Amino acid sequence: MKILVVGAGATGGYFGALLARSGQDVTFLVRKARAAALRERGLRVVGRDEEWIVAPRLVTADKLTGPYDLVLLSVKSTGLERAVEDVAPAVGPGTAVIPLLNGLAHIDVLNARFGASAVLGGVAKVVTTLDASGDIRRLAPLAHLAFGEQDGTVSPRVERIRSILEGAGIDAPVPDRVMTAMWHKWVFITTFGAVTSLMRGTVGDVYDTPGGPALGPAVLDEAAAVAAAAGHPVPEEERAATLAVVSAPGSPMVPSLYRDLTAGHPTEVEHLFGDLTGRARGFGVATPLLDLATLHLRVHQRRVGASAAAGV
C-alpha cells in the first residue's frame, strides 16, 4: 500500500515513523523547512528509554504527484485549508483519506473537496510532542488510531488498512460508529482544554486548588450534553476515563492546545470550541463554561493575529 502522511509532527510523524519502520511504503508531505531538518537529522522518536530513527521519504507540495492508496491527514485545523489543496494531487478514485484532527468540522471540508466515499473517520490517541530539536518525544506508550467508514460499513479497504496499522504496532480498532467515537474524543479534548486553558495551569494546579475539583466535572457535563443532543451520548465508562485525566491531584498533564496558548501560538479555538458551542446553541444546550473558554481563546487568537500582522 502506498501511504502519504500529511505532516510530520508529533502525531502524524509518530504514526508515519511506525509504518515506515515496519517496512511500509510511506512518504511524508512536509513544508520545505521541515524537509530540510528531517534530511539532516532523520525522523527521530525519543523518550521512554528508547531512541530510533527512520530515514523518511519526503515530498513538498510543489513536487507531489499521485495517486496514493492511503492518506493520513495530520495537520492543525488552522492549516487544513492549505493542506487540502496541497494534498489534492495525491487523492485519486481509490484513495482513502483518514484525518487525524479533533472535532468534526474537517469532515465536511474533506467531503466537499474529495467526496464522502473517499473520507473515513479517524480518532488518534497518542501522547507525543515535538521537542526543541524537532524530534518526536514519546511521553506514554499509547499508539491508538480508531477509524472506519463514515456509514459504519467494515469495507475491504478498512480491513486492509487495519492489518497494516496493526502490523506496525498501532492499536487500530474499527468502532461500529466512528462518528460517535469522534464526538466522544471531541468531548474529551474540549473538557481537557477548557480546564487547563481557563485556569492557565496543569490538571494538578487546578485540582489541587480550593474549588478546583468541581471544574472538570462541570465542563464535562456541558460538553457531554452537546454530544447527547447530537445523538452521541457519552457512556459512563468514557466519562469516568475523562474525569480520571482532568481530575487528578498533582497531575502535570496539559493538552497541546494549552502548550500553544502559553507559548503565544495560534490555537484551534474555532475548530474545537467555536464549532462545539455553536452546535450547542443550535440544540438549545447551555454551555456557560465552554462559552467562557471560547471567549478566552478568541481573545488570545485576536492578540496573536494582531502581533503577526504587525510583524512582531
Side-chain angles (χ1 to χ4, degrees), residues 139-159:
L139 305 176
L142 190 65
H144 176 102
L145 201 173
F147 73 103
E149 302 285 356
Q150 293 183 52
D151 65 3
T153 303
V154 182
S155 62
R157 69 175 178 177
V158 162
E159 294 285 16

Side-chain angles (χ1 to χ4, degrees), residues 163-185:
S163 176
I164 288 170
L165 293 172
E166 291 180 344
I170 299 167
D171 179 27
V174 177
D176 292 337
R177 300 174 66 197
V178 72
M179 304 306 289
T180 294
M182 292 176 67
W183 263 100
H184 294 170
K185 174 71 181 298

Side-chain angles (χ1 to χ4, degrees), residues 26-49:
V26 179
T27 301
F28 294 87
L29 175 60
V30 292
R31 305 285 177 229
K32 291 181 179 179
R34 181 65 168 151
L38 291 171
R39 289 188 180 107
E40 179 181 345
R41 289 181 56 81
L43 183 55
R44 296 168 178 257
V45 177
V46 300
R48 298 190 59 81
D49 299 321

Side-chain angles (χ1 to χ4, degrees), residues 185-196:
K185 174 71 181 298
W186 197 8
V187 167
F188 167 77
I189 205 68
T190 49
T191 300
F192 193 13
V195 168
T196 53

Side-chain angles (χ1 to χ4, degrees), residues 37-193:
L38 291 171
R39 289 188 180 107
E40 179 181 345
R41 289 181 56 81
L43 183 55
R44 296 168 178 257
V45 177
V46 300
R48 298 190 59 81
D49 299 321
E50 66 175 339
E51 178 173 345
W52 48 276
I53 307 170
V54 297
R57 183 183 298 114
L58 306 172
V59 66
T60 52
D62 58 318
K63 304 292 185 183
L64 181 64
T65 59
Y68 284 77
D69 300 307
L70 173 63
V71 173
L72 294 181
L73 183 64
S74 180
V75 297
K76 294 281 190 181
S77 63
T78 49
L80 177 61
E81 182 177 352
R82 180 175 175 182
V84 167
E85 294 309 313
D86 286 349
V87 78
V91 181
T95 303
V97 180
I98 302 180
L100 305 183
L101 292 79
N102 293 314
L104 281 170
H106 59 280
I107 295 292
D108 293 335
V109 172
L110 294 169
N111 285 349
R113 184 64 176 82
F114 302 120
S117 62
V119 182
L120 283 68
V123 178
K125 296 180 182 180
V126 293
V127 189
T128 52
T129 187
L130 283 187
D131 65 20
S133 299
D135 297 341
I136 298 168
R137 185 161 296 277
R138 190 180 182 213
L139 305 176
L142 190 65
H144 176 102
L145 201 173
F147 73 103
E149 302 285 356
Q150 293 183 52
D151 65 3
T153 303
V154 182
S155 62
R157 69 175 178 177
V158 162
E159 294 285 16
R160 185 181 178 203
I161 293 167
R162 174 164 55 182
S163 176
I164 288 170
L165 293 172
E166 291 180 344
I170 299 167
D171 179 27
V174 177
D176 292 337
R177 300 174 66 197
V178 72
M179 304 306 289
T180 294
M182 292 176 67
W183 263 100
H184 294 170
K185 174 71 181 298
W186 197 8
V187 167
F188 167 77
I189 205 68
T190 49
T191 300
F192 193 13

